[in-house]
Amino acid sequence: MRAVIVNDYGQTPVLGEVPTPRPGPRQLLIRLRTAAVNPVDRRLAHGDRRIMFPGTFPMVLGTDGAGIVESVGEGTTRFAPGDVVFGQLMIPPIGSTGTYAEYVAVDEDAPLTRVPDAMDLDVAAALPTIGMTGLAVTAMLAPLEGRTVLIVGARGGVGSMATQFAARAGAHVTAVAPDIAAERMRRYGAAEIIGPTALAVPEAVQRAHPDGIDALIDLVSDADRFASLAKLVRPGGSAVTTRFVADVGALEAVGVTEINFVLSASDRLLDRVAEAVVTGHVAPPPITRVPLEEAPAVVNGTVRGASEVKTVITVRTGIGGARTRRAR
């Protein structure tokens, strides 16, 4: 089968040929239709997280995808051939269940669920990491009603979802995003929008909220910048980073909790995200579609999607008659 691979950490991703996997006991073989590009894919390929997520080579890139169950192994009961599914497959060893490929074999208890009838497969592929992270990171800060939440990196995929989930929960959201994304942030429910100029953000937030903010969700900052932003949080509040750069005990004395967020992916969390999207509670971010042949250039950073928010790879152009076993 065709797949986007690297043969060692740090190598340039290429489109290559690897053996088509076969489903073992309690596994399913998914014929992938779409896959989403996430920043973590490049970091995994570089080996940045090899201690937490050891890899195997050739490493097939990609963690998020959607497709059709082609066949199942002995003892599989959760899914059946023809089911249309989506999920996040960040499963060690990294590269064994990559989604930038025509097929993937995975255990039936992986973070997968059926795609709702009303959901497009491009959207389904885009949602797992950004949707589950956005929902989980805001849920851990609940209750948010009437609280001021600063979201740094609001323009991106996770930021788009976190902004909406927080706003829908009643938070006063201050979104750090460029002017080009301001209208979209307002549609998402952001009450304030601040440009991401490095020196301006802490000062702008402090001027707008001299008594401090209740919570910080930071999706992009390095350790030093996160530390400076965390000081804006008033006692009793929380500062959360998805980049794992928090000094957890740094602000303990003043009553601010710093959190290094790690996603615990699950089918239940996926179902909640899917329901929120199909009911219109939240909207997926803008999506740029590219064919599998162009995926290496996207991952390598030599081209960027027009929306610069969420890029989805079209692995196959059709799903035939497999929609007969859609969500039950």
Side-chain angles (χ1 to χ4, degrees):
M1 69 174 182
R2 297 183 306 160
V4 178
I5 61 172
V6 293
N7 287 304
D8 202 354
Y9 290 124
Q11 287 193 354
T12 300
V14 297
L15 184 63
E17 294 278 342
V18 296
T20 301
R22 296 178 179 274
R26 299 189 67 249
Q27 285 194 326
L28 45 148
L29 179 68
I30 302 170
R31 178 161 49 97
L32 288 159
R33 166 66 168 82
T34 51
V37 178
N38 290 300
V40 72
D41 298 337
R42 185 182 302 178
R43 294 197 290 269
L44 291 171
H46 286 176
D48 294 351
R49 299 190 177 185
R50 70 183 75 181
I51 295 177
M52 293 176 62
F53 300 102
T56 185
F57 299 96
M59 178 185 288
V60 179
L61 303 188
T63 57
D64 289 0
I68 307 94
V69 178
E70 180 97 341
S71 60
V72 298
E74 183 180 355
T76 302
T77 59
R78 187 175 164 212
F79 298 102
D83 283 345
V84 185
V85 298
F86 75 115
Q88 187 206 62
L89 305 181
M90 192 183 293
I91 301 170
I94 296 299
S96 62
T97 57
T99 57
Y100 297 3
E102 293 179 307
Y103 292 91
V104 63
V106 65
D107 291 347
E108 68 171 347
D109 57 359
L112 286 166
T113 193
R114 293 177 178 83
V115 178
D117 287 323
M119 183 175 288
D120 182 87
L121 289 188
D122 290 341
V123 172
L127 286 178
T129 293
I130 66 171
M132 288 192 292
T133 301
L135 176 56
V137 78
T138 51
M140 72 185 298
L141 298 174
L144 289 177
E145 180 71 35
R147 301 181 71 196
T148 301
V149 179
L150 175 66
I151 300 181
V152 182
R155 178 199 186 171
V158 174
S160 295
M161 302 302 286
T163 296
Q164 294 179 83
F165 281 121
R168 304 299 182 262
H172 177 102
V173 175
T174 298
V176 178
D179 290 343
I180 193 173
E183 182 180 348
R184 183 162 59 86
M185 293 296 106
R186 291 189 185 96
R187 291 200 307 269
Y188 289 165
E192 298 175 273
I193 301 161
I194 297 175
T197 305
L199 295 177
V201 173
E203 297 170 0
V205 174
Q206 201 160 30
R207 284 197 300 269
H209 303 281
D211 294 329
I213 58 176
D214 295 299
L216 165 68
I217 298 174
D218 194 327
L219 310 168
V220 296
S221 296
D222 60 18
D224 290 341
R225 183 162 167 77
F226 176 76
S228 68
L229 291 167
K231 292 177 182 177
L232 300 170
V233 180
R234 64 170 61 99
S238 299
V240 184
T241 170
T242 59
R243 298 297 300 272
F244 220 81
V245 295
D247 181 349
V248 174
L251 296 178
E252 185 177 0
V254 294
V256 174
T257 302
E258 293 191 55
I259 301 168
N260 288 304
F261 175 83
V262 178
L263 176 65
S264 295
S266 69
D267 58 311
R268 291 183 180 180
L269 199 54
L270 277 171
D271 284 333
R272 290 176 62 191
V273 171
E275 181 181 9
V277 172
V278 298
T279 59
H281 184 70
V282 301
I287 293 174
T288 295
R289 297 158 178 84
V290 301
L292 184 62
E293 293 78 7
E294 296 181 16
V298 173
V299 180
N300 296 335
T302 55
V303 299
R304 300 184 70 176
S307 72
E308 298 184 5
V309 175
K310 198 64 188 173
T311 300
V312 169
I313 299 165
T314 301
V315 179
R316 291 176 179 268
T317 56
I319 64 171
R323 287 186 178 269
T324 56
R325 295 186 61 91
R326 296 302 295 269
R328 301 167 183 171

Coordinates of all heavy atoms in Angstrom, one line a residue, residues 4 12-15 37 42 61 100 290-305 311 313:
V4 N 2.8 7.6 3.7 CA 3.9 8.6 4.0 C 4.7 8.1 5.1 O 4.2 7.9 6.2 CB 3.2 10.0 4.3 CG1 4.3 11.0 4.6 CG2 2.4 10.5 3.1
T12 N 13.4 13.2 6.1 CA 12.3 13.8 5.4 C 11.2 12.9 5.0 O 11.5 11.8 4.4 CB 12.9 14.5 4.1 OG1 13.9 15.4 4.5 CG2 11.8 15.2 3.3
P13 N 10.0 13.1 5.4 CA 8.9 12.2 5.0 C 8.8 12.1 3.5 O 8.9 13.1 2.8 CB 7.7 12.9 5.6 CG 8.2 13.7 6.7 CD 9.5 14.2 6.2
V14 N 8.5 10.9 3.0 CA 8.3 10.6 1.6 C 7.1 9.7 1.4 O 6.7 9.0 2.4 CB 9.5 10.0 1.0 CG1 10.7 10.9 1.1 CG2 9.8 8.6 1.6
L15 N 6.5 9.7 0.2 CA 5.5 8.8 -0.1 C 6.1 7.5 -0.6 O 6.9 7.5 -1.6 CB 4.6 9.4 -1.2 CG 3.4 8.5 -1.6 CD1 2.4 8.3 -0.4 CD2 2.6 9.1 -2.8
V37 N -3.7 16.3 9.3 CA -2.3 16.6 9.6 C -2.4 17.4 10.9 O -3.1 18.4 11.1 CB -1.7 17.5 8.5 CG1 -0.3 18.0 8.9 CG2 -1.7 16.8 7.2
R42 N 4.8 15.8 12.9 CA 6.2 16.1 12.6 C 7.1 15.9 13.8 O 8.2 15.4 13.7 CB 6.2 17.6 12.1 CG 7.6 18.0 11.7 CD 7.7 19.4 11.3 NE 6.7 19.7 10.2 CZ 6.5 21.0 9.7 NH1 7.2 22.0 10.2 NH2 5.7 21.2 8.8
L61 N 3.4 7.9 9.1 CA 3.0 9.1 9.8 C 1.4 9.2 9.9 O 0.7 8.6 9.2 CB 3.5 10.4 9.2 CG 5.0 10.4 9.0 CD1 5.5 11.8 8.5 CD2 5.8 10.1 10.3
Y100 N -1.6 8.3 7.5 CA -1.2 8.8 6.2 C -1.0 7.6 5.3 O 0.1 7.4 4.7 CB 0.0 9.6 6.2 CG 0.0 10.9 7.0 CD1 -1.1 11.3 7.8 CD2 1.1 11.7 6.9 CE1 -1.0 12.4 8.5 CE2 1.2 12.9 7.7 CZ 0.1 13.2 8.4 OH 0.2 14.4 9.2
V290 N -5.9 18.1 0.7 CA -4.8 17.8 -0.3 C -4.7 16.3 -0.5 O -5.1 15.5 0.3 CB -3.4 18.2 0.3 CG1 -3.4 19.7 0.6 CG2 -3.0 17.5 1.6
P291 N -4.3 15.9 -1.7 CA -4.2 14.5 -2.0 C -3.0 13.9 -1.3 O -2.1 14.6 -0.9 CB -4.0 14.4 -3.5 CG -3.4 15.7 -3.9 CD -3.9 16.7 -2.9
L292 N -3.0 12.5 -1.2 CA -2.0 11.8 -0.5 C -0.6 12.2 -1.1 O 0.4 12.3 -0.3 CB -2.2 10.3 -0.5 CG -1.2 9.4 0.2 CD1 -1.3 9.7 1.7 CD2 -1.6 7.9 0.0
E293 N -0.5 12.4 -2.4 CA 0.7 12.6 -3.0 C 1.4 13.9 -2.5 O 2.6 14.1 -2.6 CB 0.5 12.7 -4.6 CG 0.2 11.4 -5.2 CD -1.3 11.0 -5.0 OE1 -2.1 11.9 -4.5 OE2 -1.7 9.9 -5.4
E294 N 0.6 14.9 -2.1 CA 1.1 16.2 -1.6 C 1.3 16.2 -0.1 O 1.9 17.2 0.4 CB 0.1 17.3 -2.0 CG 0.0 17.5 -3.5 CD -1.0 18.6 -3.8 OE1 -1.3 19.4 -2.9 OE2 -1.4 18.7 -4.9
A295 N 1.0 15.1 0.6 CA 1.1 15.1 2.0 C 2.6 15.3 2.5 O 2.8 16.0 3.5 CB 0.5 13.8 2.6
P296 N 3.6 14.6 1.9 CA 4.9 14.9 2.4 C 5.3 16.4 2.3 O 6.0 16.8 3.3 CB 5.8 14.1 1.4 CG 4.9 13.0 0.9 CD 3.6 13.6 0.8
A297 N 4.9 17.1 1.3 CA 5.3 18.5 1.2 C 4.6 19.3 2.3 O 5.2 20.2 2.9 CB 4.9 19.1 -0.1
V298 N 3.4 18.9 2.7 CA 2.7 19.6 3.8 C 3.4 19.3 5.1 O 3.6 20.3 5.9 CB 1.2 19.1 3.9 CG1 0.5 19.7 5.1 CG2 0.4 19.5 2.6
V299 N 3.7 18.1 5.4 CA 4.4 17.7 6.6 C 5.8 18.4 6.7 O 6.2 18.8 7.7 CB 4.5 16.2 6.8 CG1 5.2 15.9 8.1 CG2 3.1 15.6 6.8
N300 N 6.5 18.4 5.5 CA 7.8 19.0 5.5 C 7.8 20.5 5.6 O 8.8 21.1 5.8 CB 8.5 18.6 4.2 CG 8.8 17.1 4.1 OD1 8.9 16.4 5.1 ND2 8.9 16.6 2.8
G301 N 6.6 21.1 5.5 CA 6.5 22.6 5.6 C 6.9 23.3 4.4 O 7.0 24.6 4.4
T302 N 7.0 22.6 3.2 CA 7.3 23.3 2.0 C 6.1 24.0 1.3 O 6.2 24.8 0.5 CB 8.0 22.4 1.0 OG1 7.2 21.2 0.8 CG2 9.4 21.9 1.5
V303 N 4.9 23.5 1.7 CA 3.7 24.1 1.3 C 2.8 24.2 2.5 O 2.9 23.4 3.4 CB 3.0 23.4 0.1 CG1 3.8 23.3 -1.1 CG2 2.5 22.0 0.6
R304 N 1.9 25.2 2.5 CA 0.9 25.3 3.6 C -0.5 25.4 3.1 O -0.7 26.0 2.0 CB 1.3 26.5 4.5 CG 2.7 26.5 5.0 CD 2.9 27.7 5.9 NE 2.1 27.6 7.2 CZ 2.2 28.5 8.2 NH1 3.0 29.5 8.1 NH2 1.4 28.3 9.3
G305 N -1.4 24.9 3.8 CA -2.8 24.9 3.4 C -3.3 26.4 3.3 O -2.8 27.2 4.1
T311 N -5.5 20.9 7.8 CA -5.2 20.2 6.5 C -5.7 18.8 6.6 O -5.3 18.1 7.6 CB -3.8 20.3 6.1 OG1 -3.4 21.7 6.0 CG2 -3.6 19.6 4.8
I313 N -5.9 15.1 4.5 CA -5.3 14.4 3.3 C -6.4 13.5 2.8 O -7.0 12.7 3.5 CB -4.1 13.5 3.8 CG1 -3.0 14.4 4.3 CG2 -3.6 12.7 2.6 CD1 -2.0 13.6 5.1

